[in-house]
Amino acid sequence: MLRREPAPRASRSLRGMQPTLRLAAPPDIPAIRRVGVDADTRYLTVGRPELADGSTIPIDAAERAIGRQALLVAELGDAGVVGWVVTGRVGGELCVGQLSVATAFGRRGVGSALLARVVADARASAEASLLLNTEVDVPWCAPWYARRGFVIVPRDAWGPALAALSAAQVADGLDWSTRVHMRLDLGAG
């Protein structure tokens, strides 16, 4: 578990700036982890303390994602890394593993820019769809993704890979009574 250290702070001069997106590099890992822990503190505001337990992307997982060029960071001015997104594969399907934005930089388009880049890259790679799993009852989770075209995958349409992912998350302590898989049809394939 990562200690809670201050995430980057927003200054008035950064308001309205567009984030710079780039592939993460190994020196970014401490900032990525700080942003992940900080972003999860928002769950306390909706009564979900179990999701704000101080854990975040493990160092070895971040290193592997960087090696696969599957970890993208967002920077704003001299604030450094203020957001990130990691992707992987579930049953061969491209999947957003996590998207995090430092709380001081929320509601400024950082998360939207990160997701738009993942979607654009997926389309450019002729991916048929983009998958993720998230909380259905948290405003910046499933409702946010739904506004961007993602739809809930009904349980009877999960298939073995999604069922196995859900079971693994339950084994890790996530409550699947409040989680859903969502998919964005990219019109490819």
Side-chain angles (χ1 to χ4, degrees):
M1 194 163 19
L2 189 66
R3 287 182 316 130
R4 292 183 193 236
E5 296 179 21
R9 292 192 176 266
S11 71
R12 290 180 191 256
S13 64
L14 297 177
R15 294 194 190 278
M17 288 184 67
Q18 293 298 312
T20 300
L21 306 180
R22 64 173 175 77
L23 289 171
D28 296 319
I29 292 173
I32 289 165
R33 289 174 50 85
R34 278 192 301 276
V35 168
V37 170
D38 176 69
D40 285 353
T41 63
R42 287 189 69 201
Y43 287 110
L44 297 172
T45 68
V46 292
R48 301 296 299 277
E50 73 278 9
L51 299 174
D53 65 359
S55 64
T56 190
I57 187 170
I59 292 170
D60 61 332
E63 290 170 341
R64 285 192 308 273
I66 289 168
R68 294 189 326 268
Q69 296 186 331
L71 183 52
L72 185 67
V73 295
E75 295 177 310
L76 270 179
D78 56 1
V81 173
V82 299
W84 56 273
V85 61
V86 63
T87 59
R89 295 220 169 251
V90 174
E93 189 171 6
L94 186 63
C95 181
V96 173
Q98 184 170 339
L99 189 155
S100 291
V101 176
T103 55
F105 295 90
R107 303 189 58 81
R108 294 180 185 208
V110 175
S112 293
L114 285 163
L115 183 61
R117 172 71 176 274
V118 169
V119 170
D121 288 352
R123 282 192 169 115
S125 297
E127 297 284 346
S129 59
L130 179 61
L131 180 70
L132 59 86
N133 57 77
T134 191
E135 300 299 316
V136 72
D137 60 341
V138 175
W140 60 89
C141 290
W144 186 83
Y145 288 108
R147 289 192 301 274
R148 284 146 183 85
F150 285 81
V151 295
I152 294 174
V153 179
R155 190 173 289 261
D156 62 357
W158 281 7
L162 294 184
L165 176 60
S166 301
Q169 290 183 347
V170 167
D172 285 342
L174 285 175
D175 177 1
W176 259 85
S177 70
T178 60
R179 290 184 69 75
V180 292
H181 291 295
M182 299 183 82
R183 180 176 284 130
L184 176 66
D185 180 357
L186 298 174

